[in-house]
Amino acid sequence: ASVSGQGVQQLIEAGVDVVCGVMEKDANELNRAYFKRIQLGMPWVMAKWAMTLDGKIATVSGRSQWISGEQSRAAVHQLRGRVDAILIGAGTALADDPLLTARPAGPRIATRIVLDSHARLPLESKLVQTAKQVPVIVAVGPDADAGHYRRLERAGCEIMPLLAVAYPRRCSELLKQLASRDFTNVLVEGGSGLLGALVDGRLIDEIHCFIGSQIVGGQVALSPVGGDGIANMTDALQLQTTAVKQLDTDIYVTARVLPAID
């Protein structure tokens, strides 16, 4: 039950000896995602992508299988198994037709979410076909085709209407709704447009980047983060690298987004 910040006082009144501040730093780190949801009404957002050594998430023809190796993909499945939700954009859902489950299953079964503003997710997609076994939420915008999203609903998907017109604001609205439903950890797996909108909105907390040992080139080949971007380096999202690991021929980098300096 919720104690509304009065848990310590309730324990004292019940006659329990309470010592505060024990391993406070470790406790704050362990519970950082929960604290963010409770205090800010937003989930902890982890952005994940795999890219080539020259920073591309696909070739000029849109092909991305496989940039990362088996060990990297196994690490992604471990990530999926410990989050509450996995979020992708409509472009990734259409291009890759992913399943977005953890294999083998982890301690949590993540709800799969598609930010599909125009409700374009095909009924034949793997997500829709498995929606009755593993939850799927399709977040749609105000201009979505009602007939199609009702068909998605009948196929087992939950429809989450979003009212914001601008894409970054729609992302923020979606995350707030997820937090209100006790989604604490959200893993975002792309694509470039969705990740760009989240970076533009300063909505990401943590980065998981897998760097493959290839170079594909191509001026129009997609990079991981699209969106509007920034004009000055002083406005860049600042990171603190937390780990760098070698997974076979891949490099796995994790980082935290540092608070903005006013």
Side-chain angles (χ1 to χ4, degrees), residues 158-198:
E158 178 187 346
I159 301 301
M160 179 183 288
L162 301 175
L163 301 178
V165 175
Y167 193 57
R169 290 183 178 275
R170 197 171 295 164
C171 293
S172 179
E173 182 184 354
L174 168 61
L175 293 173
K176 287 177 182 177
Q177 287 207 35
L178 294 178
S180 72
R181 293 172 52 167
D182 295 338
F183 285 78
T184 301
N185 296 278
V186 176
L187 177 64
V188 184
E189 295 202 23
S192 179
L194 175 57
L195 289 170
L198 293 172

Side-chain angles (χ1 to χ4, degrees), residues 25-46 82-85 108 175 178-180 182-187 203-206 208 256:
K25 183 177 180 180
D26 292 334
N28 287 336
E29 171 64 17
L30 183 64
N31 293 287
R32 65 190 184 280
Y34 172 75
F35 290 154
K36 183 189 177 189
R37 179 172 65 80
I38 295 300
Q39 294 169 2
L40 303 180
M42 294 286 277
W44 186 267
V45 179
M46 299 180 286
R82 60 182 179 86
V83 297
D84 301 310
R108 299 185 187 181
L175 293 173
L178 294 178
S180 72
D182 295 338
F183 285 78
T184 301
N185 296 278
V186 176
L187 177 64
L203 298 171
I204 291 175
D205 301 291
E206 187 172 315
H208 293 260
R256 294 278 178 80

Side-chain angles (χ1 to χ4, degrees), residues 54-63 192 216-224:
D54 58 333
K56 307 295 185 181
I57 60 171
T59 66
V60 291
S61 64
R63 296 180 181 178
S192 179
V216 298
Q219 187 171 351
V220 298
L222 287 175
S223 62

Side-chain angles (χ1 to χ4, degrees), residues 113-247:
I113 304 171
V114 183
L115 181 48
D116 186 11
S117 298
H118 300 287
R120 296 180 292 160
L121 188 64
L123 296 176
E124 302 76 25
S125 70
K126 292 175 184 175
L127 290 168
V128 178
Q129 290 295 309
T130 58
K132 293 181 180 178
Q133 288 76 50
V134 181
V136 173
I137 295 175
V138 183
V140 302
D143 299 325
D145 183 285
H148 188 62
Y149 72 63
R150 289 195 184 102
R151 288 191 288 273
L152 290 170
E153 206 166 28
R154 288 195 292 271
C157 299
E158 178 187 346
I159 301 301
M160 179 183 288
L162 301 175
L163 301 178
V165 175
Y167 193 57
R169 290 183 178 275
R170 197 171 295 164
C171 293
S172 179
E173 182 184 354
L174 168 61
L175 293 173
K176 287 177 182 177
Q177 287 207 35
L178 294 178
S180 72
R181 293 172 52 167
D182 295 338
F183 285 78
T184 301
N185 296 278
V186 176
L187 177 64
V188 184
E189 295 202 23
S192 179
L194 175 57
L195 289 170
L198 293 172
V199 169
D200 286 343
R202 298 299 196 261
L203 298 171
I204 291 175
D205 301 291
E206 187 172 315
I207 305 293
H208 293 260
C209 176
F210 297 85
I211 305 171
S213 55
Q214 320 96 324
I215 292 177
V216 298
Q219 187 171 351
V220 298
L222 287 175
S223 62
V225 180
D228 294 333
I230 52 121
N232 301 304
M233 285 302 297
T234 53
D235 297 324
L237 210 63
Q238 300 296 323
L239 307 176
Q240 178 182 17
T241 301
T242 54
V244 178
K245 301 177 183 178
Q246 184 161 357
L247 300 178

